[in-house]
Amino acid sequence: MSIFTKVAFRNVRRHSARNIIIGSSIALAVGLLFFILSVSSGVEKQLVANLVQIETGSVSFSLSDESLEGKTNINRSGLDEAYALIKAVPVISNIRERVHSRALLNNDNKSSDINLRGIDWIKERPLFTSLRFENSQPYDSITKSGVLISRNAADKLHVEENDECTILVQTVNGSLNMDNYRIAGIYKNISGWANTMVFMNLEDVKILVNTELPTDVLIDSKNLETTPLVLSKVNTILDSEFKDTMDLESYEDQSMVASTIANANKYGFLSIVFFLQIISFFGIVFVVKNNVTERNKEIGTLLAIGYKSRKIRFSFVLETLFVAVISSLIGLIVFGGLTALLSINGIYLGDSATLIFGSSVLKPFFHFPNLLLAFVIGLLYPLFSAIWSTRKVRRADPITLLYDR
């Protein structure tokens, strides 16, 4: 180990108070950088996940009113044959039938407009998992008759679990149908859009709206990147089976709002990151510069006995590098642990958070490249600040430094 390496490690211990200040700044800046990047990634992924799980799948298509009324060549057996061909496509993982309908939810003299969703719960475990129930719900219990409503809808109707409510809906042939159902569960508010959704067993909703066909079919791919291929394959199959053009949409086609919110959040988060790093950088430059100034006599002595300015600057850089490595690791361990913890279930922020994040639940995404990026940045700007702060050593006069008061 060279003399300057020993001097660097000695100075880290000798100036521990100053290095704690520098290290705390680096740890906080690096940790917050990783956490904010994780939140940004999590918000974007959650918006896409909610869209795919609740509304679109990777690819989706809807049946026309004429098809639901039996006025086209699309029937139950023909749809099942098309499903068999679609399932044979290797990149497709699941086909989910839905019945979507506008309806009215009533209790005594109170009512609320709802988006009724008939769900095949056997195939929709991810959707079940994404709903945060106020009271833990066994998966098997959801397959029974009953409705799942949001806390927002429950408050409007002044109802709780196991109360009865009435659903009024228009059937596919234009008549009105009404029936009573038990409230099987209440899920925590997700967003203004999702809070109007009432989920029921698929077969119950088919009976309610008087159809054996789904209004919407959601097709999941094994990887969202294969969506264009799925879109092409499904379009070919439906066209050959029914000789009728259907409007297929991918989640990307319907994600304009989600993308807008995600991009706004991303740039907002990056702005926060930028200002935090600028503040941290100037803070570290100030402390390192004072450190160099206070050690003028030490620098003058080393210059006077023949040491090169390059090696003296290297000693300061090595000292800062050591502090930066330790501090960055500490910051990433603390904030990385916090990110990993919050990424499991997220943190509920209330309904107002949907205006900012598109969801009331904030769920960071632990992404290793973000961790690596934060660590590299945690090393680069302390090193740059050390190099910049010691630039005067190159042309310093040892006599002047030795008599500096």
Side-chain angles (χ1 to χ4, degrees):
M1 184 181 292
S2 70
I3 182 64
F4 287 101
T5 304
K6 293 179 181 179
V7 169
F9 287 130
R10 182 205 66 185
N11 286 333
V12 169
R13 295 191 300 269
R14 176 180 293 179
H15 305 284
S16 57
R18 183 184 295 111
N19 287 324
I20 287 175
I21 295 174
I22 297 174
S24 299
S25 300
I26 296 172
L28 185 61
V30 170
L32 283 175
L33 171 61
F34 172 68
F35 183 73
I36 291 173
L37 290 175
S38 299
V39 169
S40 177
S41 299
V43 168
E44 185 173 2
K45 285 186 172 294
Q46 192 169 359
L47 285 168
V48 172
N50 285 343
L51 186 71
V52 170
Q53 290 175 10
I54 297 177
E55 197 68 9
T56 68
S58 176
V59 170
S60 63
F61 64 89
S62 302
L63 274 65
S64 65
D65 292 340
E66 289 78 11
S67 297
L68 296 173
E69 294 170 13
K71 296 179 181 179
T72 68
N73 63 341
I74 300 176
N75 53 38
R76 183 71 258 179
S77 61
L79 199 58
D80 289 338
E81 290 176 7
Y83 286 166
L85 295 173
I86 292 172
K87 288 177 182 176
V89 178
V91 295
I92 291 176
S93 61
N94 193 22
I95 299 176
R96 298 178 276 155
E97 284 193 348
R98 296 276 188 88
V99 174
H100 293 181
S101 178
R102 296 286 297 176
L104 198 65
L105 188 65
N106 299 285
N107 178 57
D108 294 333
N109 296 322
K110 302 175 184 66
S111 62
S112 177
D113 290 322
I114 61 169
N115 289 298
L116 186 61
R117 297 288 187 263
I119 303 295
D120 182 355
W121 288 113
I122 295 175
K123 295 183 178 181
E124 301 254 19
R125 187 178 284 271
L127 172 59
F128 175 84
T129 304
S130 69
L131 296 174
R132 296 160 52 89
F133 292 102
E134 293 185 347
N135 297 315
S136 179
Q137 295 290 326
Y139 184 72
D140 293 339
S141 71
I142 299 301
T143 61
K144 300 177 182 177
S145 295
V147 299
L148 303 177
I149 66 175
S150 68
R151 168 46 59 189
N152 182 275
D155 290 342
K156 283 185 178 179
L157 299 178
H158 295 172
V159 293
E160 296 297 336
E161 281 186 24
N162 297 317
D163 289 345
E164 279 205 348
C165 61
T166 302
I167 293 181
L168 176 66
V169 66
Q170 185 177 26
T171 65
V172 295
N173 56 18
S175 62
L176 294 177
N177 201 359
M178 184 181 349
D179 209 343
N180 294 327
Y181 296 93
R182 179 182 68 88
I183 297 175
I186 298 175
Y187 62 88
K188 294 180 180 179
N189 296 332
I190 302 173
S191 67
W193 159 68
N195 292 343
T196 62
M197 292 188 180
V198 171
F199 300 101
M200 287 179 59
N201 183 282
L202 177 63
E203 297 305 319
D204 289 341
V205 179
K206 283 183 176 180
I207 294 171
L208 192 60
V209 301
N210 192 26
T211 183
E212 62 176 11
L213 296 175
T215 61
D216 296 79
V217 177
L218 281 57
I219 301 170
D220 298 320
S221 61
K222 294 178 180 178
N223 190 321
L224 288 179
E225 293 178 357
T226 62
T227 294
L229 176 61
V230 173
L231 194 66
S232 174
K233 294 285 187 183
V234 173
N235 187 58
T236 302
I237 292 170
L238 294 178
D239 186 55
S240 64
E241 286 295 303
F242 301 113
K243 307 301 179 186
D244 188 13
T245 302
M246 288 190 183
D247 291 330
L248 269 75
E249 290 186 302
S250 70
Y251 80 95
E252 294 171 322
D253 298 329
Q254 301 186 31
S255 64
M256 183 178 297
V257 174
S259 298
T260 301
I261 294 174
N263 287 332
N265 280 321
K266 180 184 293 185
Y267 292 125
F269 286 131
L270 288 177
S271 298
I272 295 172
V273 167
F274 176 76
F275 284 113
L276 280 175
Q277 299 311 307
I278 290 295
I279 292 171
S280 178
F281 171 74
F282 282 107
I284 292 172
V285 166
F286 177 77
V287 175
V288 173
K289 187 176 180 181
N290 282 346
N291 182 28
V292 173
T293 302
E294 290 175 6
R295 291 159 63 181
N296 277 346
K297 289 185 178 181
E298 179 182 332
I299 296 171
T301 301
L302 292 172
L303 288 172
I305 60 178
Y307 284 104
K308 301 293 185 182
S309 62
R310 178 173 55 83
K311 291 187 176 181
I312 297 173
R313 294 183 72 195
F314 173 75
S315 176
F316 280 95
V317 170
L318 191 63
E319 180 182 335
T320 305
L321 177 63
F322 180 76
V323 174
V325 169
I326 299 300
S327 303
S328 296
L329 289 175
I330 292 174
L332 290 176
I333 289 172
V334 172
F335 283 91
L338 178 63
T339 301
L341 183 64
L342 292 178
S343 67
I344 299 173
N345 294 314
I347 179 171
Y348 180 70
L349 299 178
D351 294 344
S352 59
T354 61
L355 299 174
I356 303 173
F357 304 116
S359 173
S360 57
V361 178
L362 185 63
K363 198 172 184 179
F365 175 66
F366 194 101
H367 194 40
F368 183 77
N370 287 341
L371 191 75
L372 185 61
L373 175 64
F375 181 72
V376 170
I377 290 176
L379 299 185
L380 287 180
Y381 69 78
L383 286 180
F384 180 77
S385 67
I387 293 170
W388 186 81
S389 299
T390 57
R391 68 193 187 284
K392 73 171 186 179
V393 175
R394 291 179 300 178
R395 52 184 181 275
D397 179 13
I399 303 299
T400 303
L401 293 177
L402 284 170
Y403 286 93
D404 180 50
R405 296 182 182 275

